[in-house]
Every structure is written in C-alpha cells, then in structure tokens.
Amino acid sequence: MKRNTEFTLSLIATIFLTIGWFFTAIMSFLLSFMPADADGFGWFVYLLICTIFSIPLLVLIWIATFKIRNNSKGWGIFILIMGVFYTFSIYFVPGILLLIAGIMMVAKNDKSKSMNLSA
C-alpha cells in the first residue's frame, strides 16, 4: 500500500523544519555578536539550544519520511511523537503537518492484511 498522502505531508513538514532550522541557526549566529545584555543573551541561549537539539531530530525525521513508504508502523509512531513535540515548540506549522501524517500512518489499516485474516 502506497502512503502518498503521509509521505507528502511529512516531506513538506521536513522541508519547513529544515528551512526553519537554517534560519534559527543564522539568528543564533547573529545574536552571538550582540552586546551581552540580559535579553539578548537569553534569546541566544534559547536559539542555540533549539538549534543543537534539532540536528539529530531533523536527521531522524528525514529518514522517517522516506521509510513511511514501507508501511513501517514504528516510523509512523515516531512521526506522530515528533509532530506532538514540534507542535508545542517554535515550529508549529510543521508540527501540525507531522502530527496529521503520524495519525494517518498509525490509523490507516492495511487492506491486504485484513483480507488475509478474514479468509
């Protein structure tokens, strides 16, 4: 069973996340040159932490996006969890897209398996 809808939603979300990560990294880099006041340093630390923690998650989401086509429930659950995680972060829109793709991946039944069980 092809999972074109899930793949497309996940791919769009992953591209948005990568672009967002790139801009977050640039903003973090630019804030490192600002004078050290309380507000500027707080934003720098926040953006730096978001940038560093997002690197392995982005790599895993890129892998999961292309593994969705193999009907892997494990990667679907991973996409669902990352959708919840990113929905409550600064990446709201990609998080919603990942959440929808994850729900569709986990909830959709495989018709070939259900037909074999009934026979």
Side-chain angles (χ1 to χ4, degrees):
M1 172 191 276
K2 290 189 177 187
R3 305 227 178 233
N4 291 331
T5 307
E6 294 89 341
F7 175 74
T8 305
L9 284 172
S10 180
L11 185 64
I12 291 169
T14 307
I15 290 170
F16 281 162
L17 282 172
T18 305
I19 292 169
W21 177 85
F22 182 72
F23 285 126
T24 305
I26 288 174
M27 287 299 296
S28 178
F29 179 73
L30 292 176
L31 281 175
S32 68
F33 293 114
M34 301 274 298
D37 62 341
D39 293 335
F41 184 71
W43 277 109
F44 168 71
V45 170
Y46 175 73
L47 291 176
L48 185 67
I49 289 171
C50 284
T51 303
I52 290 172
F53 283 143
S54 291
I55 293 172
L57 295 177
L58 272 175
V59 170
L60 288 174
I61 291 172
W62 274 106
I63 292 170
T65 298
F66 290 101
K67 294 288 186 175
I68 279 180
R69 295 252 175 148
N70 298 336
N71 282 337
S72 175
K73 288 268 187 189
W75 287 110
I77 293 171
F78 176 75
I79 291 283
L80 178 66
I81 292 170
M82 288 296 105
V84 169
F85 176 71
Y86 277 120
T87 299
F88 295 113
S89 71
I90 59 175
Y91 304 111
F92 178 75
V93 173
I96 293 294
L97 292 174
L98 285 175
L99 189 64
I100 293 169
I103 290 171
M104 288 175 68
M105 182 70 185
V106 173
K108 190 182 280 187
N109 291 333
D110 191 8
K111 292 181 182 178
S112 64
K113 287 183 182 177
S114 63
M115 293 180 82
N116 289 337
L117 292 176
S118 65

